[in-house]
């Protein structure tokens, strides 16, 4: 199941590439990877990148929703996903204490200087609201 109202993200990524080529390259690789996996419902990028105010030091704040049936087994795709987007210097999976078992957070540091902060949850954890500072890839 893909979220309805899915936009054509290519022009948005092209614009980002003009301003932040390394960030755009990581997002393009992540997007290409997840679009091939039927367990993935959506990939979002938010915060400063989503608002269009990021600079070269901004991280990529992303959220990945998995099909409910793919939770938690689909978490196996997260490490290969992170590694598919560039040369990895460091990768860390963790959970926030007190937040329950319906999420996983992964931090990735790439050799090109880009940092990825990826939150993963089942699609049942997604409210359907689309904040103004979020782009659905």
């Amino acid at each position: 199941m893909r979220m309805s109202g899915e936009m054509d993200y290519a022009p948005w990524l092209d614009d980002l590439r003009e301003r932040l080529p390394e960030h755009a390259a990581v997002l393009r690789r992540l997007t290409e990877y997840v679009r091939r996996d039927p367990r993935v419902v959506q990939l979002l990028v938010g915060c400063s990148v989503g608002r269009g105010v990021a600079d070269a030091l901004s991280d990529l704040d992303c959220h990945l929703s998995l099909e409910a049936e793919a939770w938690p087994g689909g978490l196996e795709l997260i490490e290969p996903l992170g590694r598919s987007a560039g040369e990895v210097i460091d990768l860390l999976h963790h959970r926030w204490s007190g937040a329950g078992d319906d999420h996983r957070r992964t931090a990735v540091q790439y050799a090109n200087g880009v940092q990825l902060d990826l939150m993963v949850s089942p699609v049942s954890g997604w409210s359907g609201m689309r904040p103004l500072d979020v782009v659905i890839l």
Side-chain angles (χ1 to χ4, degrees), residues 1-3 34 37-44 62-71 74-75 77-78 81 102 104 118-128 136:
M1 165 179 116
R2 296 277 173 198
M3 296 303 278
V34 300
D37 195 313
R39 299 172 292 184
V40 175
V41 176
Q42 65 182 1
L43 175 64
L44 311 173
C62 294
H63 183 270
L64 183 84
S65 295
L66 295 176
E67 289 284 358
E69 308 81 47
W71 189 264
L75 289 172
L77 80 91
I78 302 307
L81 167 65
D102 64 345
R104 177 147 158 215
L118 179 65
M119 184 66 77
V120 183
S121 67
V123 72
S124 59
W126 175 248
S127 70
I136 299 176

PDB file of all heavy atoms in Angstrom, residues 1-3 34 37-44 62-71 74-75 77-78 81 102 104 118-128 136:
ATOM      1  N   MET A   1       0.834  -1.175   0.000  1.00  0.00           N
ATOM      2  CA  MET A   1       0.000   0.000   0.000  1.00  0.00           C
ATOM      3  C   MET A   1       0.882   1.243   0.000  1.00  0.00           C
ATOM      4  O   MET A   1       1.711   1.417   0.863  1.00  0.00           O
ATOM      5  CB  MET A   1      -0.863  -0.025   1.259  1.00  0.00           C
ATOM      6  CG  MET A   1      -1.534   1.269   1.595  1.00  0.00           C
ATOM      7  SD  MET A   1      -2.549   1.104   3.067  1.00  0.00           S
ATOM      8  CE  MET A   1      -1.692   2.229   4.135  1.00  0.00           C
ATOM      9  N   ARG A   2       0.729   2.091  -0.967  1.00  0.00           N
ATOM     10  CA  ARG A   2       1.411   3.380  -1.008  1.00  0.00           C
ATOM     11  C   ARG A   2       0.427   4.445  -0.556  1.00  0.00           C
ATOM     12  O   ARG A   2      -0.767   4.321  -0.784  1.00  0.00           O
ATOM     13  CB  ARG A   2       1.887   3.709  -2.428  1.00  0.00           C
ATOM     14  CG  ARG A   2       2.924   2.737  -2.927  1.00  0.00           C
ATOM     15  CD  ARG A   2       4.283   3.116  -2.442  1.00  0.00           C
ATOM     16  NE  ARG A   2       5.219   2.069  -2.813  1.00  0.00           N
ATOM     17  CZ  ARG A   2       6.394   1.916  -2.278  1.00  0.00           C
ATOM     18  NH1 ARG A   2       6.792   2.720  -1.340  1.00  0.00           N
ATOM     19  NH2 ARG A   2       7.192   0.967  -2.646  1.00  0.00           N
ATOM     20  N   MET A   3       0.922   5.465   0.089  1.00  0.00           N
ATOM     21  CA  MET A   3       0.046   6.525   0.573  1.00  0.00           C
ATOM     22  C   MET A   3      -0.543   7.263  -0.622  1.00  0.00           C
ATOM     23  O   MET A   3       0.143   7.526  -1.603  1.00  0.00           O
ATOM     24  CB  MET A   3       0.810   7.516   1.457  1.00  0.00           C
ATOM     25  CG  MET A   3       1.349   6.895   2.727  1.00  0.00           C
ATOM     26  SD  MET A   3       0.118   6.114   3.754  1.00  0.00           S
ATOM     27  CE  MET A   3      -0.526   7.524   4.600  1.00  0.00           C
ATOM     28  N   VAL A  34      14.002   2.154  -1.212  1.00  0.00           N
ATOM     29  CA  VAL A  34      12.726   1.817  -0.578  1.00  0.00           C
ATOM     30  C   VAL A  34      11.608   1.618  -1.587  1.00  0.00           C
ATOM     31  O   VAL A  34      10.667   0.870  -1.325  1.00  0.00           O
ATOM     32  CB  VAL A  34      12.294   2.839   0.501  1.00  0.00           C
ATOM     33  CG1 VAL A  34      13.325   2.909   1.605  1.00  0.00           C
ATOM     34  CG2 VAL A  34      11.988   4.197  -0.068  1.00  0.00           C
ATOM     35  N   ASP A  37      10.965  -1.983  -2.353  1.00  0.00           N
ATOM     36  CA  ASP A  37      10.584  -2.888  -1.271  1.00  0.00           C
ATOM     37  C   ASP A  37       9.100  -2.735  -0.960  1.00  0.00           C
ATOM     38  O   ASP A  37       8.673  -1.675  -0.489  1.00  0.00           O
ATOM     39  CB  ASP A  37      11.411  -2.582  -0.019  1.00  0.00           C
ATOM     40  CG  ASP A  37      11.326  -3.692   1.013  1.00  0.00           C
ATOM     41  OD1 ASP A  37      10.196  -4.146   1.293  1.00  0.00           O
ATOM     42  OD2 ASP A  37      12.372  -4.095   1.535  1.00  0.00           O
ATOM     43  N   PRO A  38       8.291  -3.771  -1.210  1.00  0.00           N
ATOM     44  CA  PRO A  38       6.841  -3.655  -1.010  1.00  0.00           C
ATOM     45  C   PRO A  38       6.428  -3.490   0.453  1.00  0.00           C
ATOM     46  O   PRO A  38       5.286  -3.127   0.724  1.00  0.00           O
ATOM     47  CB  PRO A  38       6.295  -4.957  -1.588  1.00  0.00           C
ATOM     48  CG  PRO A  38       7.425  -5.921  -1.527  1.00  0.00           C
ATOM     49  CD  PRO A  38       8.678  -5.097  -1.702  1.00  0.00           C
ATOM     50  N   ARG A  39       7.333  -3.709   1.387  1.00  0.00           N
ATOM     51  CA  ARG A  39       7.008  -3.515   2.801  1.00  0.00           C
ATOM     52  C   ARG A  39       6.963  -2.046   3.194  1.00  0.00           C
ATOM     53  O   ARG A  39       6.389  -1.674   4.204  1.00  0.00           O
ATOM     54  CB  ARG A  39       8.024  -4.245   3.680  1.00  0.00           C
ATOM     55  CG  ARG A  39       8.050  -5.754   3.452  1.00  0.00           C
ATOM     56  CD  ARG A  39       9.190  -6.393   4.182  1.00  0.00           C
ATOM     57  NE  ARG A  39      10.453  -5.969   3.583  1.00  0.00           N
ATOM     58  CZ  ARG A  39      11.649  -6.413   3.942  1.00  0.00           C
ATOM     59  NH1 ARG A  39      11.755  -7.272   4.938  1.00  0.00           N
ATOM     60  NH2 ARG A  39      12.736  -5.986   3.345  1.00  0.00           N
ATOM     61  N   VAL A  40       7.572  -1.193   2.378  1.00  0.00           N
ATOM     62  CA  VAL A  40       7.656   0.228   2.689  1.00  0.00           C
ATOM     63  C   VAL A  40       6.416   0.949   2.171  1.00  0.00           C
ATOM     64  O   VAL A  40       6.058   0.827   1.001  1.00  0.00           O
ATOM     65  CB  VAL A  40       8.919   0.867   2.079  1.00  0.00           C
ATOM     66  CG1 VAL A  40       8.935   2.370   2.307  1.00  0.00           C
ATOM     67  CG2 VAL A  40      10.167   0.212   2.667  1.00  0.00           C
ATOM     68  N   VAL A  41       5.752   1.681   3.044  1.00  0.00           N
ATOM     69  CA  VAL A  41       4.573   2.459   2.676  1.00  0.00           C
ATOM     70  C   VAL A  41       4.980   3.865   2.261  1.00  0.00           C
ATOM     71  O   VAL A  41       4.513   4.379   1.254  1.00  0.00           O
ATOM     72  CB  VAL A  41       3.566   2.525   3.849  1.00  0.00           C
ATOM     73  CG1 VAL A  41       2.382   3.407   3.505  1.00  0.00           C
ATOM     74  CG2 VAL A  41       3.114   1.126   4.224  1.00  0.00           C
ATOM     75  N   GLN A  42       5.837   4.498   3.049  1.00  0.00           N
ATOM     76  CA  GLN A  42       6.259   5.856   2.705  1.00  0.00           C
ATOM     77  C   GLN A  42       7.585   6.194   3.362  1.00  0.00           C
ATOM     78  O   GLN A  42       7.936   5.640   4.392  1.00  0.00           O
ATOM     79  CB  GLN A  42       5.217   6.884   3.103  1.00  0.00           C
ATOM     80  CG  GLN A  42       4.999   7.002   4.591  1.00  0.00           C
ATOM     81  CD  GLN A  42       3.907   8.004   4.942  1.00  0.00           C
ATOM     82  OE1 GLN A  42       3.305   8.604   4.067  1.00  0.00           O
ATOM     83  NE2 GLN A  42       3.656   8.182   6.216  1.00  0.00           N
ATOM     84  N   LEU A  43       8.278   7.126   2.718  1.00  0.00           N
ATOM     85  CA  LEU A  43       9.494   7.716   3.255  1.00  0.00           C
ATOM     86  C   LEU A  43       9.282   9.223   3.256  1.00  0.00           C
ATOM     87  O   LEU A  43       8.925   9.804   2.233  1.00  0.00           O
ATOM     88  CB  LEU A  43      10.706   7.361   2.388  1.00  0.00           C
ATOM     89  CG  LEU A  43      12.041   8.014   2.767  1.00  0.00           C
ATOM     90  CD1 LEU A  43      12.506   7.569   4.150  1.00  0.00           C
ATOM     91  CD2 LEU A  43      13.099   7.702   1.720  1.00  0.00           C
ATOM     92  N   LEU A  44       9.467   9.835   4.411  1.00  0.00           N
ATOM     93  CA  LEU A  44       9.298  11.278   4.567  1.00  0.00           C
ATOM     94  C   LEU A  44      10.623  11.913   4.929  1.00  0.00           C
ATOM     95  O   LEU A  44      11.431  11.298   5.617  1.00  0.00           O
ATOM     96  CB  LEU A  44       8.328  11.596   5.711  1.00  0.00           C
ATOM     97  CG  LEU A  44       6.997  10.897   5.773  1.00  0.00           C
ATOM     98  CD1 LEU A  44       6.294  11.250   7.075  1.00  0.00           C
ATOM     99  CD2 LEU A  44       6.149  11.295   4.594  1.00  0.00           C
ATOM    100  N   CYS A  62      14.374  11.885   8.734  1.00  0.00           N
ATOM    101  CA  CYS A  62      13.471  11.085   7.899  1.00  0.00           C
ATOM    102  C   CYS A  62      12.630  10.138   8.748  1.00  0.00           C
ATOM    103  O   CYS A  62      13.020   9.759   9.855  1.00  0.00           O
ATOM    104  CB  CYS A  62      14.270  10.271   6.887  1.00  0.00           C
ATOM    105  SG  CYS A  62      15.129  11.276   5.660  1.00  0.00           S
ATOM    106  N   HIS A  63      11.499   9.772   8.189  1.00  0.00           N
ATOM    107  CA  HIS A  63      10.618   8.788   8.812  1.00  0.00           C
ATOM    108  C   HIS A  63      10.222   7.780   7.747  1.00  0.00           C
ATOM    109  O   HIS A  63       9.856   8.156   6.636  1.00  0.00           O
ATOM    110  CB  HIS A  63       9.375   9.449   9.397  1.00  0.00           C
ATOM    111  CG  HIS A  63       8.502   8.461  10.101  1.00  0.00           C
ATOM    112  ND1 HIS A  63       7.505   7.773   9.460  1.00  0.00           N
ATOM    113  CD2 HIS A  63       8.497   8.027  11.380  1.00  0.00           C
ATOM    114  CE1 HIS A  63       6.914   6.963  10.333  1.00  0.00           C
ATOM    115  NE2 HIS A  63       7.503   7.096  11.502  1.00  0.00           N
ATOM    116  N   LEU A  64      10.308   6.506   8.090  1.00  0.00           N
ATOM    117  CA  LEU A  64       9.949   5.420   7.189  1.00  0.00           C
ATOM    118  C   LEU A  64       8.812   4.638   7.825  1.00  0.00           C
ATOM    119  O   LEU A  64       8.920   4.235   8.983  1.00  0.00           O
ATOM    120  CB  LEU A  64      11.158   4.505   6.981  1.00  0.00           C
ATOM    121  CG  LEU A  64      10.977   3.363   6.002  1.00  0.00           C
ATOM    122  CD1 LEU A  64      11.223   3.865   4.587  1.00  0.00           C
ATOM    123  CD2 LEU A  64      11.936   2.241   6.322  1.00  0.00           C
ATOM    124  N   SER A  65       7.721   4.454   7.072  1.00  0.00           N
ATOM    125  CA  SER A  65       6.591   3.650   7.553  1.00  0.00           C
ATOM    126  C   SER A  65       6.591   2.316   6.831  1.00  0.00           C
ATOM    127  O   SER A  65       6.714   2.264   5.602  1.00  0.00           O
ATOM    128  CB  SER A  65       5.265   4.364   7.273  1.00  0.00           C
ATOM    129  OG  SER A  65       5.163   5.548   8.009  1.00  0.00           O
ATOM    130  N   LEU A  66       6.430   1.243   7.609  1.00  0.00           N
ATOM    131  CA  LEU A  66       6.353  -0.111   7.063  1.00  0.00           C
ATOM    132  C   LEU A  66       4.917  -0.620   7.124  1.00  0.00           C
ATOM    133  O   LEU A  66       4.150  -0.216   8.008  1.00  0.00           O
ATOM    134  CB  LEU A  66       7.236  -1.063   7.864  1.00  0.00           C
ATOM    135  CG  LEU A  66       8.737  -0.812   7.835  1.00  0.00           C
ATOM    136  CD1 LEU A  66       9.448  -1.783   8.769  1.00  0.00           C
ATOM    137  CD2 LEU A  66       9.280  -0.927   6.429  1.00  0.00           C
ATOM    138  N   GLU A  67       4.567  -1.501   6.213  1.00  0.00           N
ATOM    139  CA  GLU A  67       3.276  -2.187   6.281  1.00  0.00           C
ATOM    140  C   GLU A  67       3.132  -2.805   7.668  1.00  0.00           C
ATOM    141  O   GLU A  67       4.111  -3.284   8.242  1.00  0.00           O
ATOM    142  CB  GLU A  67       3.190  -3.305   5.229  1.00  0.00           C
ATOM    143  CG  GLU A  67       3.086  -2.829   3.810  1.00  0.00           C
ATOM    144  CD  GLU A  67       1.696  -2.303   3.470  1.00  0.00           C
ATOM    145  OE1 GLU A  67       0.787  -2.333   4.324  1.00  0.00           O
ATOM    146  OE2 GLU A  67       1.528  -1.856   2.333  1.00  0.00           O
ATOM    147  N   ALA A  68       1.927  -2.793   8.209  1.00  0.00           N
ATOM    148  CA  ALA A  68       1.697  -3.329   9.553  1.00  0.00           C
ATOM    149  C   ALA A  68       2.152  -4.783   9.657  1.00  0.00           C
ATOM    150  O   ALA A  68       2.747  -5.188  10.663  1.00  0.00           O
ATOM    151  CB  ALA A  68       0.225  -3.196   9.927  1.00  0.00           C
ATOM    152  N   GLU A  69       1.905  -5.571   8.604  1.00  0.00           N
ATOM    153  CA  GLU A  69       2.291  -6.990   8.621  1.00  0.00           C
ATOM    154  C   GLU A  69       3.802  -7.180   8.584  1.00  0.00           C
ATOM    155  O   GLU A  69       4.301  -8.258   8.880  1.00  0.00           O
ATOM    156  CB  GLU A  69       1.684  -7.750   7.433  1.00  0.00           C
ATOM    157  CG  GLU A  69       0.206  -7.603   7.247  1.00  0.00           C
ATOM    158  CD  GLU A  69      -0.178  -6.303   6.526  1.00  0.00           C
ATOM    159  OE1 GLU A  69       0.417  -5.955   5.497  1.00  0.00           O
ATOM    160  OE2 GLU A  69      -1.088  -5.629   7.035  1.00  0.00           O
ATOM    161  N   ALA A  70       4.519  -6.158   8.178  1.00  0.00           N
ATOM    162  CA  ALA A  70       5.976  -6.244   8.058  1.00  0.00           C
ATOM    163  C   ALA A  70       6.688  -5.834   9.352  1.00  0.00           C
ATOM    164  O   ALA A  70       7.910  -5.851   9.414  1.00  0.00           O
ATOM    165  CB  ALA A  70       6.463  -5.363   6.920  1.00  0.00           C
ATOM    166  N   TRP A  71       5.911  -5.482  10.370  1.00  0.00           N
ATOM    167  CA  TRP A  71       6.501  -5.038  11.631  1.00  0.00           C
ATOM    168  C   TRP A  71       6.564  -6.174  12.625  1.00  0.00           C
ATOM    169  O   TRP A  71       5.575  -6.867  12.767  1.00  0.00           O
ATOM    170  CB  TRP A  71       5.679  -3.884  12.228  1.00  0.00           C
ATOM    171  CG  TRP A  71       6.368  -3.278  13.398  1.00  0.00           C
ATOM    172  CD1 TRP A  71       6.142  -3.589  14.702  1.00  0.00           C
ATOM    173  CD2 TRP A  71       7.400  -2.316  13.375  1.00  0.00           C
ATOM    174  NE1 TRP A  71       6.984  -2.853  15.492  1.00  0.00           N
ATOM    175  CE2 TRP A  71       7.771  -2.068  14.695  1.00  0.00           C
ATOM    176  CE3 TRP A  71       8.072  -1.653  12.354  1.00  0.00           C
ATOM    177  CZ2 TRP A  71       8.764  -1.177  15.045  1.00  0.00           C
ATOM    178  CZ3 TRP A  71       9.058  -0.763  12.689  1.00  0.00           C
ATOM    179  CH2 TRP A  71       9.395  -0.528  14.026  1.00  0.00           C
ATOM    180  N   GLY A  74      10.365  -6.390   9.190  1.00  0.00           N
ATOM    181  CA  GLY A  74      10.873  -5.531   8.132  1.00  0.00           C
ATOM    182  C   GLY A  74      12.020  -4.640   8.555  1.00  0.00           C
ATOM    183  O   GLY A  74      12.673  -4.018   7.711  1.00  0.00           O
ATOM    184  N   LEU A  75      12.289  -4.600   9.858  1.00  0.00           N
ATOM    185  CA  LEU A  75      13.422  -3.794  10.324  1.00  0.00           C
ATOM    186  C   LEU A  75      14.749  -4.297   9.761  1.00  0.00           C
ATOM    187  O   LEU A  75      15.728  -3.551   9.747  1.00  0.00           O
ATOM    188  CB  LEU A  75      13.467  -3.783  11.855  1.00  0.00           C
ATOM    189  CG  LEU A  75      12.368  -2.974  12.530  1.00  0.00           C
ATOM    190  CD1 LEU A  75      12.399  -3.201  14.039  1.00  0.00           C
ATOM    191  CD2 LEU A  75      12.480  -1.502  12.200  1.00  0.00           C
ATOM    192  N   LEU A  77      15.541  -4.472   6.850  1.00  0.00           N
ATOM    193  CA  LEU A  77      15.928  -3.681   5.678  1.00  0.00           C
ATOM    194  C   LEU A  77      16.652  -2.396   6.049  1.00  0.00           C
ATOM    195  O   LEU A  77      17.279  -1.766   5.200  1.00  0.00           O
ATOM    196  CB  LEU A  77      14.720  -3.373   4.801  1.00  0.00           C
ATOM    197  CG  LEU A  77      13.780  -2.232   5.185  1.00  0.00           C
ATOM    198  CD1 LEU A  77      14.207  -0.917   4.552  1.00  0.00           C
ATOM    199  CD2 LEU A  77      12.384  -2.561   4.708  1.00  0.00           C
ATOM    200  N   ILE A  78      16.617  -1.979   7.310  1.00  0.00           N
ATOM    201  CA  ILE A  78      17.124  -0.666   7.685  1.00  0.00           C
ATOM    202  C   ILE A  78      18.640  -0.546   7.529  1.00  0.00           C
ATOM    203  O   ILE A  78      19.128   0.433   6.976  1.00  0.00           O
ATOM    204  CB  ILE A  78      16.686  -0.287   9.117  1.00  0.00           C
ATOM    205  CG1 ILE A  78      15.161  -0.303   9.211  1.00  0.00           C
ATOM    206  CG2 ILE A  78      17.257   1.067   9.515  1.00  0.00           C
ATOM    207  CD1 ILE A  78      14.443   0.517   8.165  1.00  0.00           C
ATOM    208  N   LEU A  81      19.522  -0.477   3.884  1.00  0.00           N
ATOM    209  CA  LEU A  81      19.036   0.796   3.358  1.00  0.00           C
ATOM    210  C   LEU A  81      20.028   1.906   3.675  1.00  0.00           C
ATOM    211  O   LEU A  81      20.444   2.654   2.781  1.00  0.00           O
ATOM    212  CB  LEU A  81      17.669   1.129   3.956  1.00  0.00           C
ATOM    213  CG  LEU A  81      17.160   2.556   3.749  1.00  0.00           C
ATOM    214  CD1 LEU A  81      16.912   2.823   2.279  1.00  0.00           C
ATOM    215  CD2 LEU A  81      15.908   2.790   4.573  1.00  0.00           C
ATOM    216  N   ASP A 102       7.038   0.225  19.128  1.00  0.00           N
ATOM    217  CA  ASP A 102       6.564   0.426  17.767  1.00  0.00           C
ATOM    218  C   ASP A 102       7.394   1.435  16.983  1.00  0.00           C
ATOM    219  O   ASP A 102       6.903   2.134  16.116  1.00  0.00           O
ATOM    220  CB  ASP A 102       5.093   0.846  17.771  1.00  0.00           C
ATOM    221  CG  ASP A 102       4.873   2.182  18.452  1.00  0.00           C
ATOM    222  OD1 ASP A 102       5.794   2.644  19.160  1.00  0.00           O
ATOM    223  OD2 ASP A 102       3.798   2.761  18.271  1.00  0.00           O
ATOM    224  N   ARG A 104      11.817   2.353  15.746  1.00  0.00           N
ATOM    225  CA  ARG A 104      13.263   2.150  15.834  1.00  0.00           C
ATOM    226  C   ARG A 104      13.915   3.355  15.202  1.00  0.00           C
ATOM    227  O   ARG A 104      13.443   3.861  14.184  1.00  0.00           O
ATOM    228  CB  ARG A 104      13.684   0.899  15.093  1.00  0.00           C
ATOM    229  CG  ARG A 104      15.182   0.710  15.106  1.00  0.00           C
ATOM    230  CD  ARG A 104      15.507  -0.752  15.131  1.00  0.00           C
ATOM    231  NE  ARG A 104      16.820  -1.022  14.647  1.00  0.00           N
ATOM    232  CZ  ARG A 104      17.141  -2.095  13.964  1.00  0.00           C
ATOM    233  NH1 ARG A 104      16.231  -2.970  13.642  1.00  0.00           N
ATOM    234  NH2 ARG A 104      18.362  -2.304  13.595  1.00  0.00           N
ATOM    235  N   LEU A 118      16.980   8.529  11.043  1.00  0.00           N
ATOM    236  CA  LEU A 118      15.860   7.793  10.450  1.00  0.00           C
ATOM    237  C   LEU A 118      15.022   7.128  11.533  1.00  0.00           C
ATOM    238  O   LEU A 118      15.516   6.273  12.267  1.00  0.00           O
ATOM    239  CB  LEU A 118      16.384   6.724   9.489  1.00  0.00           C
ATOM    240  CG  LEU A 118      15.337   5.844   8.811  1.00  0.00           C
ATOM    241  CD1 LEU A 118      14.440   6.668   7.886  1.00  0.00           C
ATOM    242  CD2 LEU A 118      16.018   4.718   8.040  1.00  0.00           C
ATOM    243  N   MET A 119      13.770   7.529  11.627  1.00  0.00           N
ATOM    244  CA  MET A 119      12.812   6.900  12.528  1.00  0.00           C
ATOM    245  C   MET A 119      11.976   5.939  11.688  1.00  0.00           C
ATOM    246  O   MET A 119      11.510   6.310  10.599  1.00  0.00           O
ATOM    247  CB  MET A 119      11.916   7.950  13.180  1.00  0.00           C
ATOM    248  CG  MET A 119      10.963   7.379  14.186  1.00  0.00           C
ATOM    249  SD  MET A 119      11.779   6.697  15.641  1.00  0.00           S
ATOM    250  CE  MET A 119      12.172   8.188  16.519  1.00  0.00           C
ATOM    251  N   VAL A 120      11.788   4.725  12.185  1.00  0.00           N
ATOM    252  CA  VAL A 120      11.013   3.711  11.472  1.00  0.00           C
ATOM    253  C   VAL A 120       9.895   3.236  12.387  1.00  0.00           C
ATOM    254  O   VAL A 120      10.117   2.996  13.576  1.00  0.00           O
ATOM    255  CB  VAL A 120      11.902   2.506  11.074  1.00  0.00           C
ATOM    256  CG1 VAL A 120      11.113   1.504  10.264  1.00  0.00           C
ATOM    257  CG2 VAL A 120      13.132   2.976  10.308  1.00  0.00           C
ATOM    258  N   SER A 121       8.696   3.091  11.816  1.00  0.00           N
ATOM    259  CA  SER A 121       7.561   2.590  12.582  1.00  0.00           C
ATOM    260  C   SER A 121       6.593   1.900  11.636  1.00  0.00           C
ATOM    261  O   SER A 121       6.669   2.081  10.421  1.00  0.00           O
ATOM    262  CB  SER A 121       6.855   3.735  13.313  1.00  0.00           C
ATOM    263  OG  SER A 121       6.239   4.602  12.393  1.00  0.00           O
ATOM    264  N   PRO A 122       5.661   1.117  12.180  1.00  0.00           N
ATOM    265  CA  PRO A 122       4.618   0.558  11.325  1.00  0.00           C
ATOM    266  C   PRO A 122       3.692   1.683  10.873  1.00  0.00           C
ATOM    267  O   PRO A 122       3.553   2.698  11.555  1.00  0.00           O
ATOM    268  CB  PRO A 122       3.890  -0.430  12.238  1.00  0.00           C
ATOM    269  CG  PRO A 122       4.187   0.014  13.620  1.00  0.00           C
ATOM    270  CD  PRO A 122       5.515   0.698  13.575  1.00  0.00           C
ATOM    271  N   VAL A 123       3.065   1.503   9.726  1.00  0.00           N
ATOM    272  CA  VAL A 123       2.186   2.545   9.191  1.00  0.00           C
ATOM    273  C   VAL A 123       1.037   2.839  10.143  1.00  0.00           C
ATOM    274  O   VAL A 123       0.507   3.952  10.157  1.00  0.00           O
ATOM    275  CB  VAL A 123       1.679   2.179   7.775  1.00  0.00           C
ATOM    276  CG1 VAL A 123       0.662   1.054   7.828  1.00  0.00           C
ATOM    277  CG2 VAL A 123       1.123   3.408   7.076  1.00  0.00           C
ATOM    278  N   SER A 124       0.685   1.905  10.991  1.00  0.00           N
ATOM    279  CA  SER A 124      -0.386   2.144  11.963  1.00  0.00           C
ATOM    280  C   SER A 124      -0.016   3.260  12.931  1.00  0.00           C
ATOM    281  O   SER A 124      -0.892   3.851  13.564  1.00  0.00           O
ATOM    282  CB  SER A 124      -0.703   0.866  12.731  1.00  0.00           C
ATOM    283  OG  SER A 124       0.452   0.396  13.402  1.00  0.00           O
ATOM    284  N   GLY A 125       1.260   3.579  13.038  1.00  0.00           N
ATOM    285  CA  GLY A 125       1.699   4.664  13.895  1.00  0.00           C
ATOM    286  C   GLY A 125       1.642   6.019  13.217  1.00  0.00           C
ATOM    287  O   GLY A 125       1.908   7.043  13.817  1.00  0.00           O
ATOM    288  N   TRP A 126       1.281   6.051  11.935  1.00  0.00           N
ATOM    289  CA  TRP A 126       1.228   7.291  11.158  1.00  0.00           C
ATOM    290  C   TRP A 126      -0.176   7.870  11.247  1.00  0.00           C
ATOM    291  O   TRP A 126      -1.162   7.200  10.970  1.00  0.00           O
ATOM    292  CB  TRP A 126       1.600   7.013   9.707  1.00  0.00           C
ATOM    293  CG  TRP A 126       1.450   8.196   8.805  1.00  0.00           C
ATOM    294  CD1 TRP A 126       0.536   8.344   7.816  1.00  0.00           C
ATOM    295  CD2 TRP A 126       2.242   9.385   8.802  1.00  0.00           C
ATOM    296  NE1 TRP A 126       0.704   9.560   7.207  1.00  0.00           N
ATOM    297  CE2 TRP A 126       1.739  10.214   7.799  1.00  0.00           C
ATOM    298  CE3 TRP A 126       3.312   9.826   9.583  1.00  0.00           C
ATOM    299  CZ2 TRP A 126       2.275  11.464   7.528  1.00  0.00           C
ATOM    300  CZ3 TRP A 126       3.841  11.068   9.304  1.00  0.00           C
ATOM    301  CH2 TRP A 126       3.329  11.871   8.286  1.00  0.00           C
ATOM    302  N   SER A 127      -0.289   9.122  11.605  1.00  0.00           N
ATOM    303  CA  SER A 127      -1.592   9.760  11.810  1.00  0.00           C
ATOM    304  C   SER A 127      -2.271  10.141  10.510  1.00  0.00           C
ATOM    305  O   SER A 127      -3.458  10.424  10.495  1.00  0.00           O
ATOM    306  CB  SER A 127      -1.418  11.012  12.664  1.00  0.00           C
ATOM    307  OG  SER A 127      -0.735  12.008  11.926  1.00  0.00           O
ATOM    308  N   GLY A 128      -1.532  10.214   9.412  1.00  0.00           N
ATOM    309  CA  GLY A 128      -2.100  10.664   8.158  1.00  0.00           C
ATOM    310  C   GLY A 128      -1.996  12.160   7.982  1.00  0.00           C
ATOM    311  O   GLY A 128      -2.193  12.671   6.895  1.00  0.00           O
ATOM    312  N   ILE A 136       6.936  13.978   1.183  1.00  0.00           N
ATOM    313  CA  ILE A 136       6.786  12.531   1.006  1.00  0.00           C
ATOM    314  C   ILE A 136       7.556  12.125  -0.229  1.00  0.00           C
ATOM    315  O   ILE A 136       7.278  12.609  -1.330  1.00  0.00           O
ATOM    316  CB  ILE A 136       5.304  12.130   0.870  1.00  0.00           C
ATOM    317  CG1 ILE A 136       4.526  12.504   2.135  1.00  0.00           C
ATOM    318  CG2 ILE A 136       5.191  10.627   0.593  1.00  0.00           C
ATOM    319  CD1 ILE A 136       3.036  12.247   2.057  1.00  0.00           C
TER     320      ILE A 136
END
